[in-house]
Amino acid sequence: VQLQASGGGLVQAGGSLRLSCAASGRTFNNNGMAWFRQAPGKEREFVAGTSGLHGNKKYADSVKDRFTISRDDARDLVYLQMNNLEPEDTAVYYCAGDRHIFREDVPTTSIRYGYWGQGTLVTVSS
C-alpha cells in the first residue's frame, strides 16, 4: 500500500502549482484524504482534507480561498490545487489517508491518518 505525492517545485510568489497523490496497492476511494505540510523547523500541519463519505472538505485558515482539494476516485488520485502561492507556503507537502473508511468528518490531526506519502517539496520565492 503506497501513496505517492508529486507536483512540487519552485514557483514565484503569486504563482500556482497542482500537487497529485496517487494510490497503489489498494483503493482509497472510501478513505478520507488530506494534505499536510512541514516547513523547516516547524511541526507538520494540516492543510486541506476531504472526507471518505459525502466528500466534505476542510481547509486550514491560512490556505482557505487559495487552495482546493479534489479527488478522482476512478483513478485513485487526490489533488491539491494551490493558487496565489506565498513564501510562507514553502514546505514539504505530504498526502495522507484516513485510517478509517466511510467517515463524514475531516480529521485535522495527523494521528488519524495511517497512510502517508513520501512528500513533495514546494518552494515559493519572493
Side-chain angles (χ1 to χ4, degrees), residues 31-32 49-57 71 103-106:
N31 294 71
T50 179
S51 65
L53 189 64
H54 302 317
N56 299 316
K57 297 179 181 179
R71 59 195 303 166
R103 297 291 293 264
E104 292 186 22
D105 66 317
V106 180

Side-chain angles (χ1 to χ4, degrees), residues 4 9 40-41 44 52 58 60 62-63 67 84 89-90 105 111 119:
Q4 181 80 28
R44 190 172 297 189
K58 185 177 291 184
S62 59
V63 307
F67 290 11
N84 195 19
D89 297 316
T90 295
D105 66 317
I111 195 171

Side-chain angles (χ1 to χ4, degrees), residues 103-115:
R103 297 291 293 264
E104 292 186 22
D105 66 317
V106 180
T108 60
T109 55
S110 59
I111 195 171
R112 267 286 298 273
Y113 294 88
Y115 307 91

Side-chain angles (χ1 to χ4, degrees), residues 7-71:
L10 174 64
V11 64
Q12 287 188 331
S16 297
L17 281 175
R18 188 178 78 160
L19 305 183
S20 299
C21 177
S24 61
R26 56 156 283 183
T27 181
F28 282 83
N29 289 353
N30 301 312
N31 294 71
M33 299 295 293
W35 290 93
F36 285 74
R37 68 186 181 186
Q38 187 165 19
K42 295 187 177 181
E43 294 186 353
R44 190 172 297 189
E45 64 174 357
F46 172 84
V47 175
T50 179
S51 65
L53 189 64
H54 302 317
N56 299 316
K57 297 179 181 179
K58 185 177 291 184
Y59 297 91
D61 289 342
S62 59
V63 307
K64 205 170 291 183
D65 299 326
R66 298 189 299 122
F67 290 11
T68 302
I69 187 170
S70 62
R71 59 195 303 166

Side-chain angles (χ1 to χ4, degrees), residues 58-106:
K58 185 177 291 184
Y59 297 91
D61 289 342
S62 59
V63 307
K64 205 170 291 183
D65 299 326
R66 298 189 299 122
F67 290 11
T68 302
I69 187 170
S70 62
R71 59 195 303 166
D72 181 346
D73 287 338
R75 301 171 62 192
D76 253 321
L77 290 167
V78 179
Y79 301 105
L80 183 68
Q81 178 65 44
M82 306 185 295
N83 297 329
N84 195 19
L85 282 159
E86 304 169 352
E88 293 74 23
D89 297 316
T90 295
V92 177
Y93 285 71
Y94 300 89
C95 62
D98 191 347
R99 298 177 185 273
H100 308 292
I101 59 174
F102 298 124
R103 297 291 293 264
E104 292 186 22
D105 66 317
V106 180

